[in-house]
Amino acid sequence: MANVVVVGSQWGDEGKGKIVDWLSERADVVVRFQGGHNAGHTLVIDGVTYKLSLLPSGIVRKNRLSIIGNGVVLDPWALLAEIETVRKQNVEVSPRNLMVAESAPLILPLHRELDRTREKIAGAGKIGTTGRGIGPAYEDKVARRAIRLGDLADPGFLGARVDSLLVHHNALLRGLGLPEVERDPLLQELLDVAPKVLPYAGTVWRRLDELRRAGKRILYEGAQGTMLDVDHGTYPFVTSSNTVAAQAAVGSGQGPGAIDYVLGITKAYTTRVGGGPFPAELTDEVGRTLGERGREFGTVTGRPRRCGWFDAVLVRQAIRINGIHGIALTKLDVLDGMKELKVCVGYRLDGETLDYLPASVTRQSRVEPLYETLEGWGASTRGARSWADLPASAVKYIRRIEELIGAPVALLSTSPEREDTILVHDPFVD
């Protein structure tokens, strides 16, 4: 049986939450391996909607172990708040079914403030972060001054870590003309939260190794999407972590051999939140229609998403970077009733035709999409549970996408409900 990594193949918001929940019924363990509480997943189960930001989607399933890996930056106060929220929805959360890597770096209040201040100062040049401190926390991690979850267990050592952290941050705050952070109140906040979060701390890499050797099926749940990857995305309009499939191993303490199948979650059109290039963006009535039908608002921020036609160039690039074996195509029903559909099949830049998105942000912003027009369909695809339920033109659209991106559709989602899923290939069957 295979261990599966789920990643977004676009700019995030592809519908990973539902697919991970659907797959979690076949898995024993669900692992978050990067990002923080800046990425939201919406699950609809038996008519109940769950909105998760930090907890793995498997938390809503009984008898599943959920793990937050070392590649995640952890806001302990946000974690506790989210646990309390889902408990009110009758979801059990305890150290029996949730483990957090003791080496996970913490997001502190000063990270949130710095994040928001930078965005405000940037003005029109802002990246469009969620303001939740993700980027500054990752900066401290790579600069080796982060406070990690396990540090909370040693009050004496914790004080020294706070001192080291504030040397940098207070110098930065002075440079920005902002009030400095006081040591003792910050230290007390950490001491107060420690007994609440430390029961969840554990040696994740070892636990996962034991589970894998015991033949347990592990589902690695990515957040955001490939085009937001700090190395491979539309830099600098990206997140602060690696969102690609290879990070599943690094962000959980496993070797690359632990990954058997990579599933790329792919929306039947394209969306993104925040600033940055978007070659296939539609700012007309069609774009607004896609946004309204697809209810394209961020789970975490509530911000409206920018919408555009399906970009086969971007998805093909994501498939190669991630080593994607198959895709889960979502939100096909949003395209119902449209007379014609367009798919971006290439870019034109300075008279040259490109079959990839260049790395330079200035070149990215100047590419012009080259479209292929396909026939739409009048019948509804919403709730379809077999290929026979789909209009012929919808099937043609799917087959053409497969040809253009160079990967097959493994699953097809036709509504937010988990049962409205057509299984073509089970990723857990290697």
Side-chain angles (χ1 to χ4, degrees), residues 140 143-148 151 154-167 183:
D140 282 346
R144 302 182 297 277
R145 58 176 172 260
I147 294 172
R148 307 199 296 181
D151 296 339
D154 187 341
F157 179 69
L158 182 60
R161 295 303 297 159
V162 169
D163 290 338
S164 176
L165 184 72
L166 292 185
V167 168
R183 174 191 189 272

Side-chain angles (χ1 to χ4, degrees), residues 14 168 275 287 394:
E14 300 97 347
H168 169 81

Side-chain angles (χ1 to χ4, degrees), residues 131-155:
R132 299 197 168 199
I134 309 299
Y138 273 117
E139 290 175 34
D140 282 346
K141 173 184 176 178
V142 298
R144 302 182 297 277
R145 58 176 172 260
I147 294 172
R148 307 199 296 181
L149 178 59
D151 296 339
L152 299 182
D154 187 341

Side-chain angles (χ1 to χ4, degrees), residues 33-34 46 79 150 153 210 225-226 245 254 286 363 372 383 403 427:
F33 58 84
Q34 52 77 216
D46 297 328
L79 174 65
E210 293 170 347
T226 300
Q254 301 296 288
V286 175
R363 299 187 73 203
E372 179 178 307
E403 292 174 355

Side-chain angles (χ1 to χ4, degrees), residues 14-20 22 42 44 263-269 327-336 377 381-387 390 398 409-424:
E14 300 97 347
K16 290 183 293 296
K18 171 197 167 171
I19 300 300
V20 170
W22 191 88
T42 301
V44 181
L263 180 68
I265 314 302
T266 308
K267 195 177 289 186
Y269 49 101
I327 68 168
L329 190 65
T330 65
K331 290 201 167 184
L332 183 70
D333 57 298
V334 174
L335 304 179
D336 290 353
W377 54 88
T381 62
R382 187 175 181 84
R385 299 185 181 180
S386 73
W387 287 104
L390 298 174
I398 296 167
V409 171
L411 295 96
L412 180 64
S413 171
T414 57
S415 91
E417 294 291 341
R418 68 186 306 275
E419 292 81 8
D420 293 337
T421 305
I422 300 172
L423 176 64
V424 181

